[in-house]
């Protein structure tokens, strides 16, 4: 392939072996997806539920919407926080492609920041003033998803950069663009719905507002079912429209590539079966938790598949460059230790907070 | 320089400045605010003082709304913009310091989770647990400064790293500690500037106390900042301080920035002592606004000084901000920029079009066409020549000469130049001569920029460069073959609209 437009590899070399960065990229991206799903899926569902609730605050739909947006206060912050790490690691591994992709998008990529700001503060305004703000927030987050899919498809196809240079929006005509976008959006909705269902079931089992929580659990469950049905269709379309060399790469990739893909497809089908078996989630709390766990696992495996597809897309380009490795093992170790200590501290803090309830004068 | 180019009319540098200014203000506030809020809460618990508790509580809403989101987004924003305007340079920086950033991220996670928990657990958990969360927030936030300070100071004073290329040599560089002290002071200043607003909401009888309490904080911030600033100046290499200190500073603009910086701090000191400590009853919204302006002035001035003295480098003496490594100059001069960058090579090979792509690759990270650091403005045009030659009304010729010509003709007085210039009539009769003359001037300038690169390659690469001796100490050299220099000059000359019949 013609690699002329691809910038040179950085002369300083990789500060660790490539597998380490691949691993960190995939792992931190998975963390990001969890909170991104809650934010995007939650806001989209909240928007619809809020409309259905029609401004009656006691209506189950309104409560459902309020709950989703309550979670969002944290989910948005954490989505941003966890998004920083994969942004860092993708720059280490794929700087030549990633920066080029963002530059070809230019203002569209920059506007990601503006959209994030709008999405967050609109969610806040919605909580205080109602009005149209929830819709604004939902549109902003959806547009962010669109931007990410765009930059992804541009950065993995250097052979088309000259064409994107003439107009980056032509990426919307890439056959994989819309199926890919909806693949993420549907997954986000399913995940947020299952989390909401899980929570409602817990509260109903604890005897809290049983009728209301049962209604919410059911409605969230229906969201999850329909999103998964559409997801199955969309997933196969996406697989079908992948560029030939990439698809062939998947097929010939052997166990390391076909394994995760097959597992995640089977998980998807399994999920649908689990979802379909339940009509009243409150009666089957074990199955609800199991379904949520299975979905989380599916997302983890799919994150691996997604990364492998990127590797295959870029293979013709990356094979022309030989990265030197100048490992900084000491610094990596320091990072790993601090990560363990840091996460340990976070867990310890949350535990301490959960075990120190207080009221009145005793409280902070 | 081998990446595609993002064309921003306002100039990538200006956009970066906006994002970076927002980010540094908010992020320093987030750190200092954390410290003051948690100490305030500790005092409130010890003294059972509800007014102090309310101050801490009200401030924590600002902290969460502003810092966990605005601070985080603007921080990501710095990455986003840097990747858009200087991808090659940022890639180089990341490859050396990725583990530093990865560690910073760990502290960032702690900071954000603690902030969210702190804010939501007022009234619901025990006092001691809540204080613990507050302290963890501050520790996470401050440690992220401890890390990022190493990378930011490395860029200006890489010190031993130039010789060893060892991570920690660059990290604990000559300005690391002074800058950490200075930024700690700034964190407190930023925090008090914001916290005055929630403090004004205190009950009328306790308000002066609360204001005076913040006044002591502000005074501490001023003292620490001033000490840190002086230490920072003292730790800079002489070749760098000479740019803005002494009898004849190389960059007069930076010298002015320095005195602005110190005056701002003086104003901050005076106002805080008068209005917060001596007469806290008089403190009003206006006081807070003045203090905010003065504190931002000091902080902004310092940041500008730091960026200004680092120019034209991203990593001093190693990497220019347009992505050119000092070690690449020789090779690119020999083989050409087109061989180095597919984006320059691709497209119409005509001289002017090639020149336009070279300009985009090498110059556009600092120069816009007509906006910030406009290149059209910096170059001589036929219209400029006419104005200088006409000198009508008398005196304007000299003014125009100072403005349009003297940057490149420092040693020639106006009178002398007027002697060799053709008259207005001669220019009007035959503007072609002037176009030729301008093209000649521009070509020579580009060649000079190329020669500057040759001079730079002769520097000792293991020490901090002394840029003062160079003709244009704030600019990277031009790199490429002589033909490419000509192409760039042809393009630059074509920017004079009179020369192309107003096409461009």
């Amino acid at each position: 392939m013609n690699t002329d437009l691809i910038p040179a590899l950085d002369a300083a070399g990789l500060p660790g072996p490539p597998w380490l960065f691949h691993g960190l990229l995939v792992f931190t991206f998975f963390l990001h997806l969890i909170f991104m799903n809650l934010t995007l899926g939650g806001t989209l569902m909240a928007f619809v539920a809020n409309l259905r609730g029609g401004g009656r605050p006691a209506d189950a739909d309104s409560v459902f919407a309020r709950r989703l947006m309550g979670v969002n206060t944290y989910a948005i912050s954490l989505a941003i926080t966890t998004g920083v790490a994969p942004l860092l690691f993708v720059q280490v591994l794929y700087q030549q492609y990633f920066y080029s992709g963002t530059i070809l998008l230019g203002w569209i990529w920059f506007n990601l920041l503006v959209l994030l700001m709008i999405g967050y503060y609109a969610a806040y305004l919605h909580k205080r003033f109602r009005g149209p703000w929830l819709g604004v927030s939902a549109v902003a987050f959806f547009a962010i998803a669109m931007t990410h899919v765009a930059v992804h498809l541009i950065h993995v196809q250097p052979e088309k950069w000259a064409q994107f240079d003439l107009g980056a929006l032509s990426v919307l005509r890439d056959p994989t663009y819309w199926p890919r976008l909806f693949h993420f959006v549907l997954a986000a909705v399913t995940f947020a719905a299952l989390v909401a269902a899980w929570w409602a079931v817990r509260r109903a089992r604890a005897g809290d507002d049983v009728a209301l929580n049962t209604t919410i659990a059911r409605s969230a469950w229906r969201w999850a079912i329909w999103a998964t049905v559409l997801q199955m269709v969309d997933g196969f379309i996406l697989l079908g429209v992948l560029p030939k060399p990439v698809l062939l790469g998947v097929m010939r990739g052997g166990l390391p590539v076909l394994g995760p893909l097959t597992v995640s497809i089977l998980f998807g089908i399994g999920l649908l079966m689990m979802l379909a078996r339940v009509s009243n989630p409150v009666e089957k709390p074990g199955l609800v938790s199991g379904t949520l766990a299975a979905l989380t696992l599916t997302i983890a495996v799919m994150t691996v598949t997604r990364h492998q597809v990127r590797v295959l897309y870029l293979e013709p380009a990356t094979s022309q460059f030989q990265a030197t490795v100048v490992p900084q093992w000491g610094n990596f170790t320091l990072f790993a230790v601090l990560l363990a200590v840091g996460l340990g501290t976070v867990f310890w803090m949350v535990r301490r907070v959960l075990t120190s309830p207080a009221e009145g004068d005793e409280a902070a | 320089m081998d990446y595609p180019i993002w064309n921003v009319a306002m100039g990538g540098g200006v956009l970066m400045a906006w994002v970076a200014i927002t980010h540094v203000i908010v992020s320093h506030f987030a750190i200092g605010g954390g410290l003051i809020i948690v100490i305030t809460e500790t005092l409130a618990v010890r003294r059972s003082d509800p007014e102090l508790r309310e101050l801490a509580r009200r401030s924590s809403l600002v902290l969460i709304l502003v810092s966990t989101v605005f601070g985080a987004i603007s921080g990501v924003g710095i990455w986003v913009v840097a990747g858009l305007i200087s991808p090659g340079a940022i890639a180089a920086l990341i490859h050396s310091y990725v583990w530093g950033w990865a560690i910073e991220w760990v502290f960032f996670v702690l900071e954000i989770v603690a902030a969210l928990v702190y804010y939501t657990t007022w009234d619901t958990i025990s006092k001691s647990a809540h204080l613990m969360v507050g302290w963890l927030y501050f520790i996470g936030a401050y440690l992220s400064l401890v890390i990022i300070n190493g990378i930011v100071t490395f860029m200006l004073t890489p010190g031993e790293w130039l010789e060893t290329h060892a991570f920690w040599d660059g990290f604990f560089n000559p300005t690391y500690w002074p800058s950490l002290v200075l930024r700690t002071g700034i964190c407190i200043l930023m925090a008090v500037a914001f916290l005055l607003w929630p403090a004004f909401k205190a009950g009328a009888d306790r308000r002066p106390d609360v204001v005076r309490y913040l006044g002591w904080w502000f005074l501490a911030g001023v003292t620490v900042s001033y000490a840190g600033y002086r230490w920072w100046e003292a730790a800079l290499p002489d070749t760098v301080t000479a740019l803005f200190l002494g009898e004849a500073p190389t960059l007069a603009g930076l010298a002015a920035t320095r005195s602005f910086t110190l005056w701002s701090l003086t104003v901050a000191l005076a106002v805080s002592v008068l209005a917060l400590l001596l007469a806290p009853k008089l403190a009003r919204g206006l006081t807070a606004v003045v203090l905010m302006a003065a504190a931002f002035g000091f902080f902004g001035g310092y940041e500008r000084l730091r960026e200004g003295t680092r120019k034209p480098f991203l990593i001093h003496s190693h990497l220019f901000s347009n992505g050119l490594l000092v070690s690449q100059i020789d090779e690119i001069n020999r083989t050409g920029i087109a061989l180095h960058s597919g984006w320059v090579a691709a497209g119409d090979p005509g001289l002017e079009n090639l020149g336009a792509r070279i300009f985009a690759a090498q110059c556009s990270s600092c120069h816009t066409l007509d906006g910030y650091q406009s290149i059209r403005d910096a170059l001589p045009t036929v219209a400029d020549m006419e104005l200088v030659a006409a000198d009508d009304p008398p005196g304007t010729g000299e003014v125009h000469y100072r403005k349009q010509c003297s940057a490149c003709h420092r040693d020639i007085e106006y009178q002398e130049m007027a002697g060799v210039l053709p008259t207005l009539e001669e220019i009007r009769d035959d503007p072609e001569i002037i176009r030729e003359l301008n093209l000649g001037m521009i070509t020579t300038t580009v060649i000079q920029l190329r020669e500057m690169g040759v001079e730079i390659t002769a520097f000792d690469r293991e020490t901090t460069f002394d840029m003062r001796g160079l003709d244009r100490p704030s600019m990277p050299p031009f790199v490429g073959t002589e033909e490419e220099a000509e192409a760039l000059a042809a393009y630059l000359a074509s920017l004079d609209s009179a020369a192309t019949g107003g096409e461009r």
Side-chain angles (χ1 to χ4, degrees), chain B residues 88-147:
Chain B
I90 287 304
L93 200 57
I94 283 197
H95 275 99
S96 301
Y97 279 93
V98 61
W99 296 122
W101 271 298
I103 290 170
E104 196 213 354
W105 175 72
V106 172
F107 297 134
F108 178 55
V109 172
L110 175 62
E111 170 187 344
I112 296 296
V113 177
L116 294 172
V117 173
Y118 186 77
Y119 170 66
T120 40
T121 50
W122 286 102
D123 291 324
T124 61
I125 63 171
S126 71
K127 293 190 168 79
S128 64
H130 195 253
L131 278 175
M132 184 265 310
V133 177
W135 280 108
L136 283 179
Y137 168 80
F138 169 68
I139 292 171
Y142 193 75
L143 286 179
S144 64
L145 173 66
V146 164
I147 300 294

Side-chain angles (χ1 to χ4, degrees), chain A residues 4-5 7-8 10 12-15 20-21 24 74 77-78 80-81 84-85 87-88 91-92 95-96 99-100 102-104 106-107 109-110 113 116-117 120-121 124 161 165 328 331-332 334-335 338-339 342 345-346 348-349 352-353 356-358 361-364, chain B residues 2-6 8 15 41 53 65 68-70 72-73 76-77 79-81 83-84 87 90-92 94-96 98-99 101-103 105-110 112-114 116-117 120-130 132-133 136 167-168 342-343:
Chain A
D4 284 356
L5 293 183
D10 184 64
L14 281 179
L20 182 59
F21 290 108
L24 285 168
Y74 310 100
S77 290
L78 294 173
I80 298 172
T81 311
V84 169
L87 180 65
L88 179 65
Q91 294 178 70
V92 176
Q95 31 140 345
Q96 302 152 283
Y99 292 138
S100 299
T102 62
I103 292 169
L104 290 170
W107 279 111
W109 176 244
F110 177 85
L113 304 168
L116 264 176
M117 214 95 87
Y120 177 80
Y121 289 109
Y124 179 77
W161 284 353
D165 190 34
Q328 301 176 357
N331 295 330
F332 166 72
L334 185 61
F335 161 67
L338 286 171
L339 182 63
T345 311
V346 168
W348 178 72
M349 172 173 77
R352 169 98 199 262
V353 165
S356 318
D361 276 353
E362 295 304 306
Chain B
D2 45 358
Y3 281 83
I5 303 298
W6 181 39
V8 217
L15 186 65
E41 194 195 347
R53 174 184 182 274
L65 269 186
T68 63
V69 173
F70 203 64
I73 295 177
V76 173
W79 283 114
V80 164
V81 178
L84 286 170
I90 287 304
I94 283 197
H95 275 99
S96 301
V98 61
W99 296 122
W101 271 298
I103 290 170
W105 175 72
V106 172
F107 297 134
F108 178 55
V109 172
L110 175 62
I112 296 296
V113 177
L116 294 172
V117 173
T120 40
T121 50
W122 286 102
D123 291 324
T124 61
I125 63 171
S126 71
K127 293 190 168 79
S128 64
H130 195 253
M132 184 265 310
V133 177
L136 283 179
F167 183 100
W168 294 106
W343 293 96

Side-chain angles (χ1 to χ4, degrees), chain A residues 281-334:
Chain A
V282 176
E283 284 163 6
K284 300 201 171 137
L287 203 65
V288 172
S289 303
T291 313
L292 180 57
L295 177 61
T296 311
L297 215 63
T298 313
I299 294 173
V301 182
M302 269 290 179
T303 314
V304 175
T305 299
R306 167 186 178 273
H307 188 69
Q308 288 171 325
V309 170
R310 159 163 44 203
V311 171
L312 286 169
Y313 258 106
L314 278 173
E315 210 276 327
T318 47
S319 60
Q320 321 251 343
F321 298 91
Q322 192 57 51
T324 49
V325 176
V326 190
Q328 301 176 357
W329 284 117
N331 295 330
F332 166 72
T333 312
L334 185 61

Side-chain angles (χ1 to χ4, degrees), chain B residues 7 17 53 121 137 257 263 309 481:
Chain B
N7 264 315
R53 174 184 182 274
T121 50
Y137 168 80
T257 305
W263 273 112
T309 44
T481 60

Side-chain angles (χ1 to χ4, degrees), chain B residues 329-340 344 351 354 358 362 443 446-447 449-451 478-489:
Chain B
I329 296 176
D330 257 347
E331 192 210 315
I332 299 180
N333 277 344
R334 249 183 301 113
T335 57
I337 183 73
L339 193 74
H340 186 70
V344 171
L351 215 52
L354 173 63
I358 295 177
Q362 293 195 30
T443 309
V446 174
I447 297 287
L449 283 173
R450 188 166 180 267
E451 279 160 8
F478 162 81
V479 285
T481 60
E482 274 171 34
E483 293 78 57
E484 287 171 337
E486 256 172 54
L488 176 58

Side-chain angles (χ1 to χ4, degrees), chain B residues 304-377:
Chain B
R304 167 106 190 73
L305 208 52
R306 186 176 61 75
E307 295 276 333
T309 44
R310 199 185 69 208
K311 245 183 193 170
F313 294 104
L314 189 83
I315 301 173
H316 205 288
S317 312
H318 178 71
L319 172 71
F320 291 100
S321 54
N322 58 359
L324 173 69
L325 284 162
V326 172
S327 57
Q328 286 176 318
I329 296 176
D330 257 347
E331 192 210 315
I332 299 180
N333 277 344
R334 249 183 301 113
T335 57
I337 183 73
L339 193 74
H340 186 70
S341 164
W343 293 96
V344 171
D348 176 4
L351 215 52
E352 280 177 23
N353 285 324
L354 173 63
R357 295 195 297 275
I358 295 177
F359 178 81
Q362 293 195 30
C363 321
S364 69
S365 64
C366 298
H367 292 291
T368 63
L369 277 187
D370 296 299
Y372 184 65
Q373 300 225 53
S374 155
I375 191 72
R376 214 193 294 265
D377 235 20

Side-chain angles (χ1 to χ4, degrees), chain B residues 238-260:
Chain B
D238 295 342
T239 50
V240 173
T241 35
L243 293 174
F244 63 95
L245 283 180
E247 292 282 297
T250 319
L251 302 174
L254 279 189
T257 305
R258 175 182 184 265
S259 62
F260 170 79

